[in-house]
Amino acid sequence: MRGERAMLIILCEDNTVDREHAARLIEAAASGIFPDYCLRVFEDAESCLKAIRKRTPDIAFIDIFLKEKNGIELAETVRKLNPEAAIIFLTTSNEFASESYRVRAVDYLLKPVDEQQLLASVRRAQEQARRQQDARLDTLHAGYWKDSMLMLVE
């Protein structure tokens, strides 16, 4: 089942060969990790931006060198829309590796990406999501106990 609550993974890659290769690897990795996910693939930044404004991704695979927009700029938009999204760059150059830290990328993969590299990145993204969920639950529990203690004092 791939519904509205499914893990949303996006891939924005303008090179057809790289896009098809990455999509196959992402599908293989995600199917082994997430019980419910949806992969949306985009060949340009504009269609990707339009889609992520409707629903933000949980994991975003972004090529750095897109035709009309730098992948870092696209990642900045993803980060603004979803501060918890896992961003993974796919690129042919390490030129922007230091800039990837600015958007808190989970990984920066050089093409050609192999299956094990991508699988490790998806696992890091999963671990990041788990830690964020744990932190939200800790905050919720802390608030609950604080409220409970206040009721006891009153």
Side-chain angles (χ1 to χ4, degrees):
M1 181 175 146
R2 296 177 190 223
E4 185 64 28
R5 299 227 185 260
M7 171 76 61
L8 177 60
I9 303 170
I10 65 163
L11 166 63
C12 189
E13 168 63 69
D14 57 357
N15 179 287
T16 304
V17 173
D18 290 342
R19 184 174 55 250
E20 291 172 356
H21 176 69
R24 277 192 306 275
L25 293 179
I26 293 166
E27 283 280 356
S31 66
I33 294 174
F34 305 112
D36 193 19
Y37 74 94
C38 174
L39 173 62
R40 301 224 26 222
V41 179
F42 304 94
E43 62 184 52
D44 62 82
E46 288 309 311
S47 62
C48 183
L49 284 168
K50 184 185 267 189
I52 67 172
R53 286 189 175 107
K54 293 178 184 171
R55 179 167 177 223
T56 60
D58 299 296
I59 302 174
F61 287 88
I62 302 172
D63 180 22
I64 295 281
F65 298 108
L66 297 168
K67 289 178 184 146
E68 68 286 330
K69 192 178 209 61
N70 176 308
I72 296 287
E73 295 169 352
L74 178 56
E76 288 170 342
T77 302
V78 169
R79 178 63 62 226
K80 285 177 189 166
L81 294 171
N82 181 359
E84 296 182 351
I87 296 170
I88 300 167
F89 288 108
L90 305 171
T91 186
T92 56
S93 167
N94 61 9
E95 177 183 350
F96 292 92
S98 62
E99 288 187 48
S100 72
Y101 289 103
R102 194 174 73 237
V103 293
R104 298 185 326 275
V106 169
D107 218 337
Y108 191 94
L109 302 176
L110 292 176
K111 298 176 192 174
V113 177
D114 70 46
E115 189 174 352
Q116 292 308 309
Q117 287 176 306
L118 194 126
L119 180 59
S121 291
V122 173
R123 285 187 174 137
R124 277 191 285 281
Q126 178 192 34
E127 179 60 23
Q128 173 182 301
R130 189 195 58 74
R131 284 191 312 267
Q132 290 167 341
Q133 184 177 16
D134 288 350
R136 282 192 303 275
L137 288 173
D138 288 348
T139 301
L140 270 170
H141 289 138
Y144 170 79
W145 288 112
K146 180 182 174 189
D147 291 346
S148 297
M149 297 306 283
L150 286 174
M151 284 190 275
L152 288 174
V153 171
E154 294 174 349

